[in-house]
Amino acid sequence: MAFVECVLDRMVSTSAVPVKPVLRDLNDVLADVYVRHIALRKEDCRYYYEIFTQIFYRIHNAMKEVDPYYAKYSSEIEPKHPGYVQLRVDTRPGSPRQYTPDSVEVKTAYKWLDSKNYILRSEYANWIKSIIIRAIDRLSRQVQNANKENMYTVRYTETGPALTLIIENDTGFKLDVDLVLALQFSESRWPVEGYNSIPAGCSVGHWMVAPKPNRHGYDIHDENRSWRISLQEQERKLIHDSHNLRLTVKLLKKLRDSKNMSHLASYYIKTLFLWEVTENTDADFWMRNDLATLFKHMLQKLHSALRVHRINYFWNSRYNLIGNLNPNVVESYANIVGNLLQSLNTSESHLSVAKYLLTKAEFESYRRFF
């Protein structure tokens, strides 16, 4: 709950959006674009989050009812390609946990294993998705909120390893929720070889792996056995309370979306900031500089990364996050960012940034403020 409250504190109320903004310079435009076109509204978020927690609590309880097993097994973690691990269950005599053939562990988790006792990500993903689907069916695909004022229907869609819940009612309410399927491990089992240590002050006691395939594996076994490493909670602590950093991240993502740079994943952009936080020795950098300075600084970092076609994975720099992207696509993105950087050095920089950050339709409406 503490994290949710922190997120709400960074949102804006509808009343905070000025009817006619004063746009004198780049800082003014960046701040106004953020509150007008990027920031979530506090009123909406509180309402949607309340509904989601009430409904997911019911689904979570139903999941417990339809399947007695939770990931409760001992595994060895083997670093393979940077950014991925393979999970192998220790079934040798004398290993920490031994189960009888009729135990729930053998009947459930051992079905995830291949002939070498590696956990196959697809088998795990199919299992956890089946529990969610059975839980929704158990609730007859309808859930009532806590005060019993509204009935909500719940359905789902699948895209690869991900599962999206779609919560709706007949008043026009609709909420799409992406569920992240993952396994959790203690930080004491963090892979050391080739990986960066968890920065001081960023430890949370655990880390996770998600069933995302490794397209760079040596063979089909590598791809089927590989799990993507996720240290999102450690990353969240690393950039927590960094003043205008989060706003700058969101502005770069808005640029990405408005200019249809769809292959530039949000995590690639976030990674540039993770590196900057750790490598920049100026402790007051994010506090001392205004939003325009930070935006131009990180825009230059993005441009440089695209020019050399490389964004190193924060936890293991051997892994180039954009190494698999088409070079022509990366070059086109670099040109977009480069052109924006050039326009920021002109007297019309505040107008130019609005053209780049907003879609064509958004800008047509926004230009009346200039």
Side-chain angles (χ1 to χ4, degrees):
M1 182 60 69
F3 173 64
V4 173
E5 292 170 352
C6 179
V7 170
L8 287 173
D9 286 343
R10 293 196 300 270
M11 295 176 184
V12 299
S13 298
T14 302
S15 59
V17 182
V19 176
K20 184 172 177 55
V22 178
L23 305 177
R24 296 161 297 192
D25 55 26
L26 183 57
N27 271 307
D28 288 341
V29 174
L30 291 174
D32 189 69
V33 167
Y34 176 77
V35 299
R36 194 177 301 275
H37 290 283
I38 300 176
L40 296 175
R41 300 292 178 261
K42 284 185 178 180
E43 300 88 347
D44 293 339
C45 184
R46 287 194 178 96
Y47 173 61
Y48 278 80
Y49 182 76
E50 180 183 348
I51 298 300
F52 167 71
T53 52
Q54 292 174 6
I55 292 177
F56 190 75
Y57 177 77
R58 296 282 307 279
I59 295 174
H60 181 61
N61 282 341
M63 289 169 65
K64 294 179 182 178
E65 295 172 2
V66 299
D67 194 291
Y69 178 83
Y70 275 89
K72 188 179 179 181
Y73 55 85
S74 177
S75 64
E76 297 172 356
I77 298 171
E78 302 180 3
K80 295 292 285 186
H81 294 270
Y84 292 84
V85 292
Q86 296 186 0
L87 309 176
R88 192 175 190 182
V89 173
D90 189 353
T91 58
R92 295 169 297 181
S95 60
R97 293 177 182 171
Q98 291 291 302
Y99 303 109
T100 61
D102 61 345
S103 68
V104 68
E105 287 81 7
V106 170
K107 290 180 178 179
T108 304
Y110 278 36
K111 294 180 181 179
W112 308 339
L113 309 181
D114 66 9
S115 61
K116 299 291 186 180
N117 287 334
Y118 286 95
I119 301 177
L120 299 176
R121 52 173 179 74
S122 59
E123 294 298 321
Y124 167 78
N126 290 338
W127 170 74
I128 193 69
K129 284 193 287 188
S130 73
I131 296 177
I132 297 171
I133 293 169
R134 285 155 55 200
I136 293 173
D137 288 340
R138 187 181 185 87
L139 296 172
S140 301
R141 297 178 182 265
Q142 288 191 321
V143 184
Q144 205 167 29
N145 66 342
N147 55 21
K148 299 183 179 180
E149 291 179 351
N150 291 301
M151 183 69 72
Y152 295 85
T153 61
V154 181
R155 55 190 177 91
Y156 63 89
T157 59
E158 296 183 60
T159 305
L163 194 71
T164 300
L165 295 185
I166 303 171
I167 303 170
E168 301 169 294
N169 68 12
D170 56 11
T171 67
F173 176 95
K174 183 178 180 181
L175 176 63
D176 293 356
V177 181
D178 292 329
L179 299 182
V180 178
L181 312 178
L183 291 176
Q184 180 173 295
F185 297 91
S186 167
E187 282 182 358
S188 64
R189 309 179 77 172
W190 170 238
V192 176
E193 181 185 356
Y195 286 79
N196 295 333
S197 299
I198 295 173
C202 297
S203 177
V204 297
H206 60 266
W207 55 285
M208 295 181 290
V209 295
K212 184 176 181 179
N214 176 14
R215 303 302 185 190
H216 307 285
Y218 297 121
D219 51 36
I220 190 63
H221 295 299
D222 257 1
E223 181 174 336
N224 291 338
R225 295 169 177 169
S226 294
W227 297 63
R228 180 66 181 271
I229 292 173
S230 174
L231 290 97
Q232 61 181 7
E233 293 186 51
Q234 289 85 349
E235 294 167 355
R236 185 180 299 129
K237 292 191 73 172
L238 182 61
I239 61 178
H240 174 67
D241 199 25
S242 295
H243 304 280
N244 280 331
L245 182 149
R246 289 183 180 276
L247 271 66
T248 312
V249 172
K250 292 180 182 294
L251 286 167
L252 290 189
K253 290 180 180 178
K254 182 68 169 93
L255 168 67
R256 182 268 316 270
D257 295 341
S258 294
K259 291 303 177 183
N260 297 315
M261 297 187 284
S262 57
H263 294 288
L264 191 61
S266 293
Y267 188 72
Y268 304 166
I269 295 173
K270 177 185 177 182
T271 296
L272 293 174
F273 286 80
L274 295 174
W275 282 115
E276 188 65 19
V277 166
T278 56
E279 293 179 348
N280 194 323
T281 57
D282 184 353
D284 298 325
F285 179 76
W286 301 100
M287 179 187 297
R288 175 172 46 80
N289 289 300
D290 58 27
L291 188 56
T293 300
L294 296 175
F295 178 72
K296 289 190 285 187
H297 179 78
M298 293 310 299
L299 200 64
Q300 183 62 63
K301 292 286 184 178
L302 174 59
H303 183 249
S304 298
L306 293 172
R307 279 297 179 205
V308 298
H309 199 150
R310 188 170 191 88
I311 298 177
N312 289 336
Y313 179 46
F314 179 73
W315 300 101
N316 190 323
S317 58
R318 290 182 296 157
Y319 179 30
N320 179 9
L321 294 175
I322 61 173
N324 207 37
L325 297 186
N326 185 302
N328 293 329
V329 171
V330 176
E331 183 179 2
S332 70
Y333 292 175
N335 290 336
I336 292 172
V337 177
N339 290 337
L340 173 55
L341 279 169
Q342 289 183 355
S343 70
L344 293 181
N345 294 321
T346 69
S347 59
E348 296 294 316
S349 62
H350 56 309
L351 177 62
S352 296
V353 78
K355 289 181 178 179
Y356 275 84
L357 290 179
L358 303 176
T359 65
K360 185 176 181 179
E362 288 171 340
F363 181 73
E364 286 303 313
S365 174
Y366 194 77
R367 67 187 310 163
R368 73 184 189 276
F369 297 135
F370 289 98

mmCIF file of all heavy atoms in Angstrom, residues 216-236:
data_model
loop_
_atom_site.group_PDB
_atom_site.id
_atom_site.type_symbol
_atom_site.label_atom_id
_atom_site.label_comp_id
_atom_site.label_asym_id
_atom_site.label_seq_id
_atom_site.Cartn_x
_atom_site.Cartn_y
_atom_site.Cartn_z
ATOM 1 N N HIS A 216 18.162 -15.433 -28.067
ATOM 2 C CA HIS A 216 19.574 -15.506 -28.432
ATOM 3 C C HIS A 216 20.220 -16.807 -27.966
ATOM 4 O O HIS A 216 21.440 -16.921 -27.934
ATOM 5 C CB HIS A 216 20.337 -14.322 -27.821
ATOM 6 C CG HIS A 216 19.731 -12.994 -28.136
ATOM 7 N ND1 HIS A 216 19.852 -12.410 -29.364
ATOM 8 C CD2 HIS A 216 18.985 -12.149 -27.380
ATOM 9 C CE1 HIS A 216 19.215 -11.240 -29.360
ATOM 10 N NE2 HIS A 216 18.675 -11.066 -28.175
ATOM 11 N N GLY A 217 19.416 -17.784 -27.560
ATOM 12 C CA GLY A 217 19.957 -19.038 -27.044
ATOM 13 C C GLY A 217 20.742 -19.816 -28.086
ATOM 14 O O GLY A 217 20.580 -19.628 -29.293
ATOM 15 N N TYR A 218 21.602 -20.679 -27.587
ATOM 16 C CA TYR A 218 22.418 -21.491 -28.492
ATOM 17 C C TYR A 218 21.586 -22.515 -29.247
ATOM 18 O O TYR A 218 21.906 -22.894 -30.372
ATOM 19 C CB TYR A 218 23.510 -22.208 -27.698
ATOM 20 C CG TYR A 218 24.490 -21.277 -27.026
ATOM 21 C CD1 TYR A 218 24.660 -21.308 -25.651
ATOM 22 C CD2 TYR A 218 25.234 -20.357 -27.762
ATOM 23 C CE1 TYR A 218 25.558 -20.446 -25.022
ATOM 24 C CE2 TYR A 218 26.126 -19.501 -27.148
ATOM 25 C CZ TYR A 218 26.280 -19.557 -25.774
ATOM 26 O OH TYR A 218 27.165 -18.703 -25.170
ATOM 27 N N ASP A 219 20.522 -23.006 -28.616
ATOM 28 C CA ASP A 219 19.677 -24.021 -29.250
ATOM 29 C C ASP A 219 18.272 -23.917 -28.669
ATOM 30 O O ASP A 219 17.975 -23.051 -27.848
ATOM 31 C CB ASP A 219 20.257 -25.426 -29.045
ATOM 32 C CG ASP A 219 20.570 -25.721 -27.587
ATOM 33 O OD1 ASP A 219 19.808 -25.251 -26.704
ATOM 34 O OD2 ASP A 219 21.577 -26.402 -27.312
ATOM 35 N N ILE A 220 17.402 -24.831 -29.089
ATOM 36 C CA ILE A 220 16.008 -24.801 -28.656
ATOM 37 C C ILE A 220 15.889 -25.039 -27.164
ATOM 38 O O ILE A 220 15.000 -24.517 -26.491
ATOM 39 C CB ILE A 220 15.167 -25.836 -29.448
ATOM 40 C CG1 ILE A 220 13.669 -25.636 -29.175
ATOM 41 C CG2 ILE A 220 15.613 -27.250 -29.102
ATOM 42 C CD1 ILE A 220 13.127 -24.308 -29.632
ATOM 43 N N HIS A 221 16.830 -25.800 -26.582
ATOM 44 C CA HIS A 221 16.796 -26.048 -25.144
ATOM 45 C C HIS A 221 17.063 -24.763 -24.377
ATOM 46 O O HIS A 221 16.426 -24.490 -23.356
ATOM 47 C CB HIS A 221 17.826 -27.117 -24.762
ATOM 48 C CG HIS A 221 17.536 -28.469 -25.341
ATOM 49 N ND1 HIS A 221 16.381 -29.159 -25.049
ATOM 50 C CD2 HIS A 221 18.237 -29.248 -26.190
ATOM 51 C CE1 HIS A 221 16.381 -30.315 -25.694
ATOM 52 N NE2 HIS A 221 17.503 -30.391 -26.401
ATOM 53 N N ASP A 222 18.033 -23.980 -24.851
ATOM 54 C CA ASP A 222 18.317 -22.695 -24.210
ATOM 55 C C ASP A 222 17.082 -21.807 -24.200
ATOM 56 O O ASP A 222 16.767 -21.157 -23.210
ATOM 57 C CB ASP A 222 19.453 -21.979 -24.957
ATOM 58 C CG ASP A 222 20.772 -22.088 -24.209
ATOM 59 O OD1 ASP A 222 20.787 -22.727 -23.136
ATOM 60 O OD2 ASP A 222 21.766 -21.553 -24.697
ATOM 61 N N GLU A 223 16.376 -21.772 -25.319
ATOM 62 C CA GLU A 223 15.204 -20.907 -25.428
ATOM 63 C C GLU A 223 14.087 -21.373 -24.511
ATOM 64 O O GLU A 223 13.451 -20.575 -23.823
ATOM 65 C CB GLU A 223 14.718 -20.861 -26.875
ATOM 66 C CG GLU A 223 13.513 -19.951 -27.074
ATOM 67 C CD GLU A 223 13.137 -19.792 -28.533
ATOM 68 O OE1 GLU A 223 14.000 -19.982 -29.401
ATOM 69 O OE2 GLU A 223 11.960 -19.470 -28.806
ATOM 70 N N ASN A 224 13.848 -22.689 -24.472
ATOM 71 C CA ASN A 224 12.742 -23.220 -23.677
ATOM 72 C C ASN A 224 13.009 -23.169 -22.180
ATOM 73 O O ASN A 224 12.082 -23.061 -21.375
ATOM 74 C CB ASN A 224 12.462 -24.665 -24.083
ATOM 75 C CG ASN A 224 11.868 -24.763 -25.477
ATOM 76 O OD1 ASN A 224 11.302 -23.801 -25.980
ATOM 77 N ND2 ASN A 224 12.005 -25.921 -26.109
ATOM 78 N N ARG A 225 14.298 -23.253 -21.797
ATOM 79 C CA ARG A 225 14.646 -23.288 -20.369
ATOM 80 C C ARG A 225 14.899 -21.904 -19.781
ATOM 81 O O ARG A 225 15.011 -21.775 -18.561
ATOM 82 C CB ARG A 225 15.905 -24.139 -20.163
ATOM 83 C CG ARG A 225 15.734 -25.609 -20.494
ATOM 84 C CD ARG A 225 17.091 -26.300 -20.512
ATOM 85 N NE ARG A 225 16.985 -27.737 -20.749
ATOM 86 C CZ ARG A 225 18.023 -28.528 -21.015
ATOM 87 N NH1 ARG A 225 19.242 -28.006 -21.089
ATOM 88 N NH2 ARG A 225 17.843 -29.813 -21.198
ATOM 89 N N SER A 226 15.027 -20.894 -20.603
ATOM 90 C CA SER A 226 15.470 -19.581 -20.125
ATOM 91 C C SER A 226 14.329 -18.740 -19.572
ATOM 92 O O SER A 226 13.221 -18.720 -20.109
ATOM 93 C CB SER A 226 16.161 -18.821 -21.266
ATOM 94 O OG SER A 226 17.360 -19.477 -21.638
ATOM 95 N N TRP A 227 14.649 -18.014 -18.488
ATOM 96 C CA TRP A 227 13.725 -17.111 -17.822
ATOM 97 C C TRP A 227 14.371 -15.739 -17.762
ATOM 98 O O TRP A 227 15.560 -15.611 -17.483
ATOM 99 C CB TRP A 227 13.442 -17.581 -16.396
ATOM 100 C CG TRP A 227 12.763 -18.912 -16.317
ATOM 101 C CD1 TRP A 227 13.266 -20.115 -16.735
ATOM 102 C CD2 TRP A 227 11.477 -19.185 -15.762
ATOM 103 N NE1 TRP A 227 12.366 -21.117 -16.489
ATOM 104 C CE2 TRP A 227 11.263 -20.580 -15.885
ATOM 105 C CE3 TRP A 227 10.501 -18.388 -15.182
ATOM 106 C CZ2 TRP A 227 10.094 -21.181 -15.440
ATOM 107 C CZ3 TRP A 227 9.343 -18.993 -14.730
ATOM 108 C CH2 TRP A 227 9.133 -20.370 -14.860
ATOM 109 N N ARG A 228 13.586 -14.686 -17.985
ATOM 110 C CA ARG A 228 14.114 -13.332 -17.971
ATOM 111 C C ARG A 228 14.221 -12.824 -16.527
ATOM 112 O O ARG A 228 13.269 -12.916 -15.758
ATOM 113 C CB ARG A 228 13.216 -12.406 -18.782
ATOM 114 C CG ARG A 228 13.698 -10.950 -18.837
ATOM 115 C CD ARG A 228 15.016 -10.843 -19.587
ATOM 116 N NE ARG A 228 15.487 -9.485 -19.631
ATOM 117 C CZ ARG A 228 15.165 -8.616 -20.581
ATOM 118 N NH1 ARG A 228 14.352 -8.988 -21.560
ATOM 119 N NH2 ARG A 228 15.650 -7.399 -20.565
ATOM 120 N N ILE A 229 15.379 -12.298 -16.177
ATOM 121 C CA ILE A 229 15.598 -11.742 -14.846
ATOM 122 C C ILE A 229 14.815 -10.445 -14.675
ATOM 123 O O ILE A 229 14.741 -9.630 -15.588
ATOM 124 C CB ILE A 229 17.104 -11.494 -14.620
ATOM 125 C CG1 ILE A 229 17.847 -12.829 -14.535
ATOM 126 C CG2 ILE A 229 17.348 -10.675 -13.363
ATOM 127 C CD1 ILE A 229 19.352 -12.673 -14.482
ATOM 128 N N SER A 230 14.246 -10.262 -13.485
ATOM 129 C CA SER A 230 13.517 -9.024 -13.177
ATOM 130 C C SER A 230 13.901 -8.557 -11.777
ATOM 131 O O SER A 230 13.676 -9.265 -10.798
ATOM 132 C CB SER A 230 12.006 -9.254 -13.256
ATOM 133 O OG SER A 230 11.305 -8.108 -12.824
ATOM 134 N N LEU A 231 14.488 -7.358 -11.713
ATOM 135 C CA LEU A 231 14.799 -6.726 -10.430
ATOM 136 C C LEU A 231 14.116 -5.361 -10.352
ATOM 137 O O LEU A 231 14.712 -4.354 -9.986
ATOM 138 C CB LEU A 231 16.316 -6.573 -10.250
ATOM 139 C CG LEU A 231 17.083 -7.881 -10.026
ATOM 140 C CD1 LEU A 231 17.678 -8.361 -11.346
ATOM 141 C CD2 LEU A 231 18.173 -7.717 -8.990
ATOM 142 N N GLN A 232 12.849 -5.332 -10.721
ATOM 143 C CA GLN A 232 12.140 -4.064 -10.826
ATOM 144 C C GLN A 232 12.007 -3.352 -9.482
ATOM 145 O O GLN A 232 12.003 -2.109 -9.428
ATOM 146 C CB GLN A 232 10.775 -4.271 -11.460
ATOM 147 C CG GLN A 232 9.837 -5.193 -10.694
ATOM 148 C CD GLN A 232 8.511 -5.362 -11.395
ATOM 149 O OE1 GLN A 232 8.312 -4.912 -12.507
ATOM 150 N NE2 GLN A 232 7.575 -6.021 -10.743
ATOM 151 N N GLU A 233 11.900 -4.102 -8.389
ATOM 152 C CA GLU A 233 11.777 -3.439 -7.090
ATOM 153 C C GLU A 233 13.096 -2.796 -6.676
ATOM 154 O O GLU A 233 13.116 -1.713 -6.083
ATOM 155 C CB GLU A 233 11.300 -4.439 -6.038
ATOM 156 C CG GLU A 233 9.876 -4.914 -6.279
ATOM 157 C CD GLU A 233 9.374 -5.786 -5.149
ATOM 158 O OE1 GLU A 233 9.484 -5.374 -3.978
ATOM 159 O OE2 GLU A 233 8.879 -6.895 -5.427
ATOM 160 N N GLN A 234 14.213 -3.454 -6.983
ATOM 161 C CA GLN A 234 15.516 -2.851 -6.715
ATOM 162 C C GLN A 234 15.713 -1.610 -7.578
ATOM 163 O O GLN A 234 16.238 -0.587 -7.115
ATOM 164 C CB GLN A 234 16.636 -3.857 -6.983
ATOM 165 C CG GLN A 234 16.734 -4.990 -5.970
ATOM 166 C CD GLN A 234 15.801 -6.156 -6.268
ATOM 167 O OE1 GLN A 234 14.922 -6.072 -7.118
ATOM 168 N NE2 GLN A 234 15.998 -7.256 -5.570
ATOM 169 N N GLU A 235 15.279 -1.689 -8.828
ATOM 170 C CA GLU A 235 15.392 -0.539 -9.732
ATOM 171 C C GLU A 235 14.518 0.618 -9.265
ATOM 172 O O GLU A 235 14.914 1.783 -9.360
ATOM 173 C CB GLU A 235 15.001 -0.973 -11.151
ATOM 174 C CG GLU A 235 15.974 -1.976 -11.764
ATOM 175 C CD GLU A 235 15.435 -2.639 -13.014
ATOM 176 O OE1 GLU A 235 14.263 -2.396 -13.374
ATOM 177 O OE2 GLU A 235 16.177 -3.426 -13.626
ATOM 178 N N ARG A 236 13.362 0.278 -8.738
ATOM 179 C CA ARG A 236 12.464 1.317 -8.229
ATOM 180 C C ARG A 236 13.116 2.064 -7.067
ATOM 181 O O ARG A 236 13.027 3.289 -6.966
ATOM 182 C CB ARG A 236 11.149 0.681 -7.786
ATOM 183 C CG ARG A 236 10.092 1.689 -7.344
ATOM 184 C CD ARG A 236 8.816 0.979 -6.923
ATOM 185 N NE ARG A 236 8.253 0.232 -8.030
ATOM 186 C CZ ARG A 236 7.894 -1.043 -7.970
ATOM 187 N NH1 ARG A 236 8.049 -1.727 -6.856
ATOM 188 N NH2 ARG A 236 7.373 -1.648 -9.015
#
